[in-house]
Amino acid sequence: SVAKLELMVEIMLQDPNTTKETRDYIEGVLKTIQDQLKPKPKWFAYLDLYYKQTDHSNIDGVSKSGSLMVKDTIANFPGTTYDKTFSRGGSITVGKNIDSTSAISFNAGLSVNTQDKDKENESDIGSGSVSYSKVIGKHFLIPYAYYSRPNQNWTDDYRSIGIGFNNSYGINQNNSINYSASFSNTEYNKKLNNRAADPNSPDFNNNDIYSAGIGYNFSFSDINLISSKFSYTEKKAFKDYNAYRGTGFNVGYTRVLPFGNLKLDKTFQTNNYDDTDRDISTTINRKDDIETSSIQLSGRVTQLLPFMKKLDPGSKLFYNLNFTEIDSSSTLLQNAAIRQNASFNITKRFSLYE
């Protein structure tokens, strides 16, 4: 059923190793599924415009102790705690329903991000992706590739490219397996003032990330999903103190409600870094234990507010409410922090061709 297919897509969205670019595409797939229950072989194109506001309880990640370590010496941790960020942008998607079981799409987007108090998180982000979705028997396959080029206003720019897949296999009516793998490469481009100071210095944050995961999912009554997933991530960086190997476990619950999809999610992640950062400590190897909890409600505005059908007869206005808490414990003082983020996102879709 359509509801079960929506739940399978929600599994992919809950995967903590799914990149933002992939998550944006998968959300687009979910909306396309909702819009085209019986797709015919045809081209389609649509434009999404969105606005997002996020309240951050600890935007700079100030440590729990209010302290940090520099060259084995403890000092105060300066930084901003509460702040707001605002994101405005749009994306255009062009694709084709090849047949009733497969589709290909191309996406290009631009977002402008600003910050209320500070400026470190301000940026313009251009991105693009190509994705293919296919249903083969009990398999739901989504291979993808993406490119992202943030133009950071106050910190170093970088570009990321990635490929991967995020697939599901339906064992029977109520049980399925989700399996995924991805690779991404990120390279930084130092700002002109930094480059002038040290023009030949490579950026030590350049990295490659490999990840894989497998999970089990149980759905019942067509509108409930319990999911679980084990994942492994390996980050290789220019400097070993920025590289790590990590394992994770995610458990989530999703329910399709009359006014949207409710998701409860919990992730446990442990990252062991390859080497000490001697500018911080000459003796302590970094190890992070991270717990991420989130609750999200998303859907069409007309589901939440039925009277809006007069203003949005095509039900092309989407909302997303999210609260996330990230509780990090670490062997290094500055990496032990609690962050809470609450966000509101509204997206308007315009059908350009269908």
Side-chain angles (χ1 to χ4, degrees):
S1 67
V2 174
K4 286 189 176 179
L5 193 54
E6 290 181 15
L7 288 175
M8 292 175 69
V9 175
E10 294 290 353
I11 298 169
M12 302 174 189
L13 291 174
Q14 291 174 3
D15 183 357
N17 294 310
T18 300
T19 64
K20 180 184 182 301
E21 292 79 10
T22 309
R23 197 180 304 276
D24 291 343
Y25 171 71
I26 293 174
E27 288 177 340
V29 169
L30 178 57
K31 293 172 186 175
T32 300
I33 291 171
Q34 294 168 333
D35 289 342
Q36 304 178 48
L37 303 184
K38 295 181 179 179
K40 300 177 181 179
K42 61 179 180 180
W43 288 92
F44 59 87
Y46 54 84
L47 172 69
D48 286 343
L49 299 178
Y50 76 90
Y51 172 81
K52 180 179 181 180
Q53 177 177 317
T54 304
D55 285 39
H56 305 262
S57 69
N58 187 10
I59 195 167
D60 286 346
V62 176
S63 66
K64 298 174 182 177
S65 64
S67 303
L68 54 76
M69 184 174 290
V70 180
K71 294 187 180 297
D72 296 315
T73 301
I74 297 177
N76 290 330
F77 194 136
T80 301
T81 51
Y82 177 78
D83 206 348
K84 295 182 179 181
T85 55
F86 310 91
S87 181
R88 297 164 291 277
S91 65
I92 185 168
T93 299
V94 178
K96 184 178 183 180
N97 292 316
I98 300 171
D99 53 38
S100 62
T101 64
S102 63
I104 188 170
S105 67
F106 305 86
N107 177 275
L110 176 67
S111 65
V112 178
N113 306 293
T114 57
Q115 189 172 345
D116 185 25
K117 294 180 180 178
D118 286 345
K119 300 179 178 180
E120 290 185 2
N121 291 280
E122 295 188 345
S123 64
D124 305 320
I125 302 176
S127 62
S129 65
V130 56
S131 305
Y132 175 74
S133 55
K134 177 68 176 178
V135 177
I136 303 177
K138 295 183 178 182
H139 291 271
F140 182 39
L141 312 177
I142 302 183
Y144 60 85
Y146 68 86
Y147 173 86
S148 178
R149 181 66 170 85
N151 175 32
Q152 304 289 121
N153 294 352
W154 301 97
T155 57
D156 294 337
D157 297 337
Y158 64 91
R159 69 106 184 100
S160 293
I161 57 174
I163 58 173
F165 63 84
N166 204 327
N167 304 339
S168 290
Y169 173 77
I171 300 173
N172 54 37
Q173 185 176 3
N174 297 318
N175 298 273
S176 64
I177 294 173
N178 175 249
Y179 55 101
S180 62
S182 65
F183 164 78
S184 67
N185 168 266
T186 299
E187 292 188 0
Y188 285 77
N189 178 28
K190 288 204 166 185
K191 290 293 184 184
L192 288 176
N193 57 341
N194 293 339
R195 193 180 302 118
D198 193 358
N200 298 317
S201 175
D203 196 293
F204 297 157
N205 289 316
N206 291 353
N207 64 79
D208 295 329
I209 297 179
Y210 305 82
S211 65
I214 186 168
Y216 168 76
N217 317 288
F218 173 71
S219 63
F220 54 98
S221 302
D222 272 356
I223 57 173
N224 298 278
L225 169 73
I226 298 174
S227 63
S228 60
K229 188 166 190 176
F230 291 94
S231 61
Y232 175 80
T233 302
E234 183 170 342
K235 178 180 179 181
K236 296 183 177 180
F238 185 86
K239 285 292 186 178
D240 285 343
Y241 57 72
N242 283 325
Y244 64 80
R245 293 173 175 82
T247 57
F249 175 70
N250 172 267
V251 60
Y253 170 73
T254 302
R255 181 177 176 86
V256 179
L257 299 169
F259 48 84
N261 295 335
L262 175 67
K263 296 194 296 184
L264 307 176
D265 194 72
K266 183 79 172 183
T267 301
F268 303 89
Q269 179 81 20
T270 297
N271 298 329
N272 290 283
Y273 285 74
D274 292 353
D275 199 3
T276 57
D277 184 348
R278 294 184 177 276
D279 286 334
I280 298 176
S281 172
T282 57
T283 59
I284 301 175
N285 285 325
R286 179 179 172 184
K287 178 184 178 182
D288 295 345
D289 291 309
I290 306 167
E291 293 186 16
T292 304
S293 307
S294 67
I295 179 170
Q296 177 177 293
L297 180 66
S298 61
R300 299 170 186 264
V301 172
T302 52
Q303 292 177 277
L304 191 64
L305 305 171
F307 66 85
M308 286 292 292
K309 290 181 180 180
K310 294 182 179 180
L311 300 176
D312 183 29
S315 295
K316 300 293 186 180
L317 193 61
F318 302 89
Y319 75 92
N320 186 305
L321 302 170
N322 182 278
F323 175 82
T324 300
E325 180 182 89
I326 303 173
D327 186 349
S328 302
S329 299
S330 178
T331 54
L332 297 181
L333 283 176
Q334 48 260 64
N335 298 111
I338 296 179
R339 305 185 190 207
Q340 295 179 336
N341 305 322
S343 66
F344 168 73
N345 186 343
I346 188 163
T347 300
K348 173 61 178 178
R349 171 161 295 183
F350 299 90
S351 295
L352 305 178
Y353 181 80
E354 60 181 12

